[in-house]
């Protein structure tokens, strides 16, 4: 499936087959090319091109003043970006893995999301923080964390998590052009495991608009990022047994497209929410509460969550295959809500 260009774009775009990491690289190159205020920085993003090569070739093309390496200091990376944004630049920072973000939370919680409110909208802070997140590739400790709920709970920042190459490019360009800070999480598992046709040239996908991946009348499965492909496999298995599953890819957690969620819930009356973050107080709980407040009269069964566990993400070992939600667990949840 290819992305839909923004309504303001009238030129027909040709497409090219890309992985997600290639689409991200393409988006960053376009942003640097179109706007001299855009600067990219982070650990190993310059000479090395990033640990996953998302910034490969950008320093050679645009120079070390606009694409540059930083020390291993996440608080310094985010803090410097805040200063750059306030000075009129458009910083795009990379945190090497989302689980490395924690030292920077003081900058995020105390400053990044507060400037528009702090200055009564006289200043805004157009900063993007990119980070790979999630499991599926047997990484070391803290390399597979999913801290999106922490950031979604932080007023003043937006949270974007794409699930396809075309969405990654269009959403990243929209995030860079947004006047407010955006966290952009990229599922490690999807970097090179998925290819699709991606529009060439510039286009954006609006933040806050979910995507209906597959339509169905019996069960709504709500998810995002690396769990979308898992939900799709479970939906395909359920469909073989006559169960129509509607899979919704949120794309952005903040702002949240409640309209698409509620419309689907009103149609199906049954809901499964899938994330790989720990269970307690994850973003899945916010989705569940929203449905309970706004559409409880439409529910025909309790909402079921399929999540990670309340334990640190397991490093290296095959235990990861138990921790991380898989199509079998999601299919079981689908059968559970159908049988209620």
């Amino acid at each position: 499936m290819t992305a839909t260009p923004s309504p303001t774009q009238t030129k027909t775009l040709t497409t090219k087959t890309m992985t997600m990491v290639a689409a991200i690289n393409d988006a960053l190159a376009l942003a640097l090319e179109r706007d001299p205020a855009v600067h990219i920085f982070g650990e190993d993003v310059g000479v090395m091109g990033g640990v996953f090569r998302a910034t490969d070739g950008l320093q050679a093309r645009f120079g070390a003043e606009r694409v540059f390496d930083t020390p291993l200091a996440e608080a310094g990376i985010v803090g410097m970006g805040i200063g750059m944004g306030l000075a009129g630049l458009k910083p795009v920072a990379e945190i090497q893995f989302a689980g490395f973000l924690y030292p920077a939370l003081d900058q995020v919680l105390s400053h990044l999301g507060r400037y528009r409110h702090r200055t009564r909208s006289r200043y805004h802070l157009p900063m993007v923080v990119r980070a790979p997140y999630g499991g599926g590739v047997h990484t070391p400790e803290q390399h597979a964390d999913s801290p999106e709920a922490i950031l979604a709970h932080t007023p003043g920042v937006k949270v974007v998590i794409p699930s396809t190459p075309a969405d990654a490019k269009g959403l990243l360009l929209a995030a860079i052009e947004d006047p407010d800070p955006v966290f952009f999480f990229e599922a490690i598992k999807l970097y090179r495991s998925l290819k699709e046709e991606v529009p060439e040239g510039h286009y954006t996908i609006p933040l806050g608009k979910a995507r209906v991946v597959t339509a169905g009348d019996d069960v709504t499965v709500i998810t995002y990022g690396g769990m979308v492909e898992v939900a799709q496999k479970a939906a395909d298995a359920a469909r073989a047994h006559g169960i129509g599953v509607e899979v919704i890819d949120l794309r952005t957690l903040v702002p949240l497209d409640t309209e698409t969620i509620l419309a689907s819930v009103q149609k199906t009356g049954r809901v499964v929410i899938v994330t790989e973050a720990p269970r307690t107080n994850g973003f899945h709980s916010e989705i569940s509460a929203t449905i309970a407040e706004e559409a409880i009269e439409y529910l025909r069964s309790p909402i079921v969550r399929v999540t990670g566990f309340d334990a640190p993400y397991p490093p290296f070992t095959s235990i990861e295959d138990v921790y991380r939600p898989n199509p079998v667990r999601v299919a079981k949840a689908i059968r559970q809500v159908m049988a209620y």
Side-chain angles (χ1 to χ4, degrees):
M1 178 178 179
T2 56
T4 301
S6 63
T8 58
Q9 186 171 9
T10 57
K11 185 174 69 173
T12 301
L13 298 177
T14 58
T15 63
K16 180 180 179 180
T17 302
M18 295 185 189
T19 61
M20 180 179 283
V21 75
I24 289 167
N25 181 276
D26 191 34
L28 294 171
L30 280 167
L32 287 163
E33 190 176 75
R34 288 167 59 89
D35 190 346
V38 173
H39 288 67
I40 295 172
F41 53 93
E43 298 165 8
D44 297 322
V45 304
V47 176
M48 182 177 173
V51 291
F52 295 103
R53 303 300 185 264
T55 55
D56 189 34
L58 297 183
Q59 187 181 84
R61 182 176 171 186
F62 295 99
E65 290 188 359
R66 297 188 64 200
V67 182
F68 55 91
D69 294 315
T70 67
L72 305 183
E74 287 76 16
I77 292 170
V78 175
M80 179 174 66
I82 291 171
M84 292 169 68
L86 291 173
L89 300 176
K90 291 184 178 179
V92 180
E94 178 182 301
I95 300 297
Q96 198 166 73
F97 291 89
F100 296 177
L101 179 66
Y102 308 131
L105 285 180
D106 178 34
Q107 295 293 331
V108 174
L109 301 176
S110 300
H111 302 291
L112 182 61
R114 293 178 180 265
Y115 267 96
R116 183 181 286 277
H117 181 268
R118 183 177 287 165
T119 65
R120 303 301 183 264
S121 290
R122 288 192 295 272
Y123 289 91
H124 56 84
L125 220 170
M127 179 177 180
V128 173
V129 181
R130 294 179 42 252
Y133 90 101
V137 293
H138 301 289
T139 54
E141 186 179 4
Q142 283 190 261
H143 289 64
D145 288 15
S146 299
E148 64 269 19
I150 299 172
L151 301 166
H153 189 66
T154 302
V157 304
K158 299 175 182 178
V159 182
V160 179
I161 308 180
S163 69
T164 71
D167 275 9
K169 179 178 175 180
L171 289 168
L172 181 53
L173 286 167
I176 293 171
E177 294 170 12
D178 197 273
D180 293 306
V182 179
F183 280 89
F184 194 90
F185 283 175
E186 304 154 8
I188 298 172
K189 175 71 164 56
L190 300 181
Y191 266 149
R192 289 181 172 83
S193 65
L194 175 65
K195 290 183 178 181
E196 69 173 357
E197 292 299 307
V198 177
E200 295 185 295
H202 180 272
Y203 67 94
T204 59
I205 295 174
L207 306 187
K209 184 60 179 175
R211 176 175 69 104
V212 178
V213 181
T214 58
D217 296 324
D218 298 318
V219 180
T220 298
V221 176
I222 303 169
T223 188
Y224 52 86
M227 289 291 99
V228 172
E229 66 169 1
V230 172
Q232 285 181 274
K233 291 176 181 178
D236 291 341
R239 197 172 297 112
H241 294 280
I243 302 172
V245 178
E246 183 150 289
V247 177
I248 296 177
D249 173 8
L250 293 179
R251 285 175 162 166
T252 64
L253 308 190
V254 181
L256 181 64
D257 184 0
T258 56
E259 182 179 344
T260 296
I261 293 171
L262 296 176
S264 183
V265 172
Q266 290 170 14
K267 178 173 65 173
T268 67
R270 304 177 183 91
V271 181
V272 174
I273 306 170
V274 186
T275 75
E276 58 186 297
R279 185 175 183 84
T280 300
N281 291 329
F283 194 77
H284 41 264
S285 299
E286 176 64 23
I287 300 167
S288 181
T290 299
I291 294 169
E293 289 175 350
E294 301 292 338
I296 195 168
E297 67 271 26
Y298 294 95
L299 292 178
R300 302 170 64 181
S301 75
I303 298 169
V304 174
R305 295 172 291 166
V306 182
T307 71
F309 297 91
D310 290 334
Y313 199 99
F316 293 120
T317 68
S318 59
I319 297 174
E320 177 183 36
D321 299 331
V322 178
Y323 183 100
R324 189 174 187 261
N326 56 48
V328 173
R329 287 176 59 191
V330 179
K332 181 180 178 181
I334 291 171
R335 294 194 300 271
Q336 180 180 338
V337 297
M338 286 297 297
Y340 184 79

